Amino acid sequence: MLGHLSFGVRDLTTAIAFYDAALGPLGLIRVWTAPDAAGYGPPGGGDLLALKLRPQTSPPGPGFHLAFDAPTRSVVDAFHAAALAAGGHDNGAPGLRLHYGPSYYAAFVIAPEGWNLEAVCQTTS
């Protein structure tokens, strides 16, 4: 449905360090870098998420978040741990979210600039 999504960031260096670490467990890498932007996607592919230097930006308010598919629950765990180690803030530890469905396993973090991110696995593995 979506081609890609762009986030404005005030500090591109900090954002790149965070997203390099947090998205790695999900199999996403930095696929391009420019002086004022960076893009993340699957190896050998185009970007799905672009970060753009925008010194006056602020993330949207409550209700907005970006969820990344994870192939396994252990990848959700790894995403959460990597994001926290890279400066993110816990917004929901890895675990089942039965109110979303019987196999909805997710973790939530707030990126250093305030973006609300989720990794979710909806299989039983």
Side-chain angles (χ1 to χ4, degrees):
M1 178 171 126
L2 298 175
H4 70 275
L5 186 63
S6 296
F7 283 179
V9 296
R10 293 177 302 276
D11 181 339
L12 186 61
T13 301
T14 298
I16 285 173
F18 173 79
Y19 287 94
D20 281 358
L23 299 182
L26 298 167
L28 301 172
I29 63 167
R30 188 164 14 122
V31 294
W32 60 266
T33 307
D36 63 349
Y40 291 86
D47 66 341
L48 300 174
L49 174 64
L51 306 176
K52 297 186 177 185
L53 182 60
R54 300 289 187 266
Q56 303 303 321
T57 196
S58 61
F64 175 88
H65 78 279
L66 176 59
F68 295 96
D69 283 329
T72 66
R73 292 177 179 185
S74 64
V75 169
V76 171
D77 297 345
F79 158 82
H80 187 259
L84 296 183
H89 301 283
D90 180 39
N91 197 31
L96 284 170
R97 305 299 197 274
L98 297 176
H99 53 288
Y100 295 139
S103 62
Y104 198 102
Y105 188 90
F108 300 85
V109 298
I110 304 295
E113 295 210 13
W115 293 98
N116 188 2
L117 308 174
E118 172 187 4
V120 59
C121 175
Q122 297 189 61
T123 68
T124 57
S125 59

